[in-house]
């Protein structure tokens, strides 16, 4: 893929991601809160998310023949189209049938959409610009994420869930428009599910598994806890999400530039410490609503630093793998596995009757795993740079020189 074509494809993906973020921030961030309003307990709602992720993990293998048949470009359109319908069944979520339909639609849409979307971003981006690309996209998505929660909260409060979920569905379908102008993307072969796991990149899989485990606490469980702490108000949750999105974008932009300048390893230590502090602040949020609001904003700022680091690691490894789709198929399975286990642990903590914010505490394990994966990628990059230096200085005898250099790099 030429540079110009890569840039065009990446711009179209960015427009899609921004519109998708607008739709998801309008409604997706309120789904857990809506389920709480329907009478589900905190622990039960977290378990519902675990079931959704389990179904998504299970049917991924079933969808692979479909992806193989339609191709990558049509697959991302298909996944986005299915996932766009996810909000409508929620209107009747108090009935088990419609709750099951919601779970099935989300699972089917996302198991098709996310591996192709991540693989396309990995192939179309990079070239020494990965950090800034991710940060600039994050800034653009934040513009949508700042507006979306406030609008979503107002609509849910003023006109009700049916109209609000219908509007979000329309925006989801609109977000697929840029994908129609994309050309076919070479993301490598479509393997069987067993083949993708057998050839899985261990660092990438563990990084996403750690992210899934952490997200179960700091994302899924925390959003429910925050909603309850803010008086179960859609408006308050919307404003809290807006403040958090702005803080995250500003932090992410600076982080992206630093990554491109080769400071990913140095940043990872500070970001890991900040993530741990963010978890502790969330745990302490039960004292007062303003503490929860502050913890949410600080946590989002830290996530703005963390996201470019994690995704630059994963996307760089995916591009080097030569088969980006196979790479992301296995890493998405890792994310699901980590998130399922993280949700079950968070639900178990909530079921014990201890203060609800303690359900976030197990996220610490995921943070540790992610930090180790970033360190492993930094070592890989250092070895590759030494190889390039040796090849440029002594173009001939590269094998013997690599044998001498690699033990020192390790």
């Amino acid at each position: 893929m030429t540079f110009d074509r890569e840039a065009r494809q990446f711009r179209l993906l960015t427009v899609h991601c921004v519109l998708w973020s607008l739709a998801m921030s309008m409604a997706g961030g309120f789904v857990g809160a809506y389920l709480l309003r329907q009478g589900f307990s905190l622990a039960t709602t977290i378990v519902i998310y675990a079931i959704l992720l389990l179904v998504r993990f299970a049917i991924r293998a079933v969808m692979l023949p479909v992806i193989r048949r339609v191709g990558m470009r049509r697959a991302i359109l298909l996944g986005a189209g299915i996932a766009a319908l996810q909000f409508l069944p929620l209107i009747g979520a108090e009935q088990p049938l419609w709750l099951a339909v919601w779970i099935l639609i989300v699972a089917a849409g996302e198991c098709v959409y996310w591996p192709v979307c991540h693989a396309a971003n990995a192939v179309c981006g990079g070239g020494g610009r990965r950090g800034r690309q991710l940060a600039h996209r994050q800034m653009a998505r934040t513009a949508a994420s700042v507006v979306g929660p406030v609008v979503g909260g107002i609509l849910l409060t003023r006109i009700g869930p049916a109209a609000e979920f219908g509007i979000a569905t329309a925006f989801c379908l609109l977000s697929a428009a840029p994908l129609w102008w994309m050309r076919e993307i070479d993301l490598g072969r479509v393997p069987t599910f067993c083949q993708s796991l057998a050839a899985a990149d261990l660092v990438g899989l563990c990084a996403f598994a750690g992210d899934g485990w952490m997200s179960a606490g700091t994302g899924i469980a925390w959003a429910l806890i925050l909603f309850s702490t803010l008086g179960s108000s859609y408006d308050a949750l919307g404003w809290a999400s807006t403040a958090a999105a702005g803080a995250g974008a500003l932090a992410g932009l600076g982080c992206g530039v630093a990554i491109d300048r080769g400071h990913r390893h140095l940043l990872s230590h500070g970001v890991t410490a900040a993530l741990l502090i963010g978890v502790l602040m969330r745990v302490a949020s039960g004292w007062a609503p303003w503490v929860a609001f502050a913890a949410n904003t600080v946590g989002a700022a830290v996530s703005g630093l963390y996201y470019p680091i994690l995704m630059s690691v994963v996307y760089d490894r995916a591009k080097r793998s030569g088969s980006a789709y196979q790479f992301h198929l296995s890493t998405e399975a890792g994310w699901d596995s980590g998130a399922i286990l993280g949700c079950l642990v968070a639900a178990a903590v909530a079921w014990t009757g201890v203060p609800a914010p303690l359900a976030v505490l197990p996220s610490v394990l995921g943070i540790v795993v992610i930090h180790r994966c970033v360190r492993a990628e930094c070592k890989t990059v250092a070895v590759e740079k030494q190889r390039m230096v040796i090849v440029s200085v002594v173009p001939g005898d590269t094998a013997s020189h690599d044998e001498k250099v690699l033990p020192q790099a390790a």
Side-chain angles (χ1 to χ4, degrees):
M1 188 181 294
T2 65
F3 176 80
D4 289 341
R5 184 179 174 186
E6 269 193 12
R8 179 180 180 274
Q9 298 278 73
F10 190 84
R11 284 194 297 269
L12 289 170
L13 280 170
T14 296
V15 174
H16 161 69
C17 289
V18 170
L19 293 174
W20 185 265
S21 295
L22 177 61
M24 288 296 123
S25 62
M26 282 178 60
F30 294 95
V31 170
Y34 176 74
L35 292 176
L36 289 178
R37 279 280 189 95
Q38 300 306 303
F40 295 101
S41 67
L42 173 63
T44 302
T45 304
I46 297 174
V47 169
I48 289 172
Y49 275 102
I51 294 171
L52 187 158
L53 293 166
L54 183 62
V55 174
R56 189 172 82 173
F57 181 90
I59 67 173
R60 185 170 279 118
V62 178
M63 300 302 291
L64 283 175
V66 177
I67 296 169
R68 193 177 295 114
R69 183 175 181 83
V70 302
M72 294 299 174
R73 177 180 167 275
R74 292 177 181 173
I76 193 172
L77 277 166
L78 176 64
I82 296 173
L85 304 176
Q86 64 182 277
F87 300 117
L88 299 179
L90 283 171
I91 299 170
E94 71 278 1
Q95 301 177 27
L97 174 61
W98 287 111
L99 186 62
V101 170
W102 170 69
I103 289 173
L104 187 60
I105 288 176
V106 176
E110 291 190 350
C111 79
V112 174
Y113 173 80
W114 281 116
V116 181
C117 183
H118 281 310
N121 279 294
V123 170
C124 295
R129 298 166 287 118
R130 179 80 71 192
R132 273 168 286 197
Q133 285 175 341
L134 291 172
H136 288 153
R137 172 180 292 178
Q138 192 74 351
M139 287 286 289
R141 289 174 65 179
T142 297
S145 299
V146 165
V147 176
V150 173
V151 173
I154 293 172
L155 292 176
L156 279 168
T157 303
R158 305 292 189 273
I159 63 177
E164 202 274 342
F165 288 153
I167 293 170
T169 299
F171 273 100
C172 279
L173 294 172
L174 177 64
S175 74
L179 301 176
W180 286 99
W181 280 277
M182 289 189 66
R183 299 179 181 178
E184 188 62 50
I185 314 167
D186 183 12
L187 303 180
R189 69 189 185 95
V190 180
T192 65
F193 190 63
C194 292
Q195 286 173 339
S196 72
L197 293 179
D201 178 271
L202 185 60
V203 172
L205 189 148
C206 289
F208 256 36
D211 182 56
W213 178 283
M214 183 185 73
S215 297
T218 60
I220 294 172
W222 170 246
L224 303 175
I225 295 165
L226 179 64
F227 179 66
S228 300
T229 304
L230 296 176
S232 298
S233 167
Y234 289 131
D235 281 341
L237 180 61
W239 283 108
S241 300
T242 290
L250 292 175
L253 182 61
C255 184
V257 174
I259 288 172
D260 291 342
R261 291 178 177 173
H263 302 315
R264 181 164 55 194
H265 180 64
L266 182 63
L267 280 169
S268 68
H269 296 292
V271 171
T272 299
L275 284 170
L276 294 173
I277 292 171
V279 169
L280 294 178
M281 288 187 67
R282 289 178 173 95
V283 170
S285 66
W287 293 343
W290 72 266
V291 178
F293 193 96
N296 191 58
T297 304
V298 172
V302 175
S303 296
L305 296 171
Y306 147 79
Y307 173 80
I309 291 175
L310 173 69
M311 297 313 297
S312 64
V313 168
V314 173
Y315 285 166
D316 285 349
R317 295 185 75 89
K319 194 166 187 176
R320 289 200 305 267
S321 73
S323 182
Y325 180 75
Q326 177 170 301
F327 180 98
H328 280 287
L329 189 64
S330 60
T331 55
E332 283 292 316
W335 196 96
D336 286 350
S337 301
I340 291 166
L341 294 174
C343 282
L344 293 177
V345 171
V349 173
W351 247 316
T352 61
V354 300
L358 287 175
V360 179
L361 197 56
S363 300
V364 170
L365 176 60
I367 295 171
V368 174
V369 171
I370 293 166
H371 178 66
R372 293 184 65 85
C373 291
V374 173
R375 287 182 59 191
E377 169 64 6
C378 291
K379 288 182 179 180
T380 300
V381 171
V383 170
E384 291 297 325
K385 286 182 177 179
Q386 289 196 22
R387 283 177 174 171
M388 291 175 63
V389 169
I390 292 171
V391 170
S392 63
V393 174
V394 186
D397 188 18
T398 58
S400 61
H401 281 76
D402 284 349
E403 290 173 359
K404 297 175 184 177
V405 171
L406 287 177
Q408 297 175 5

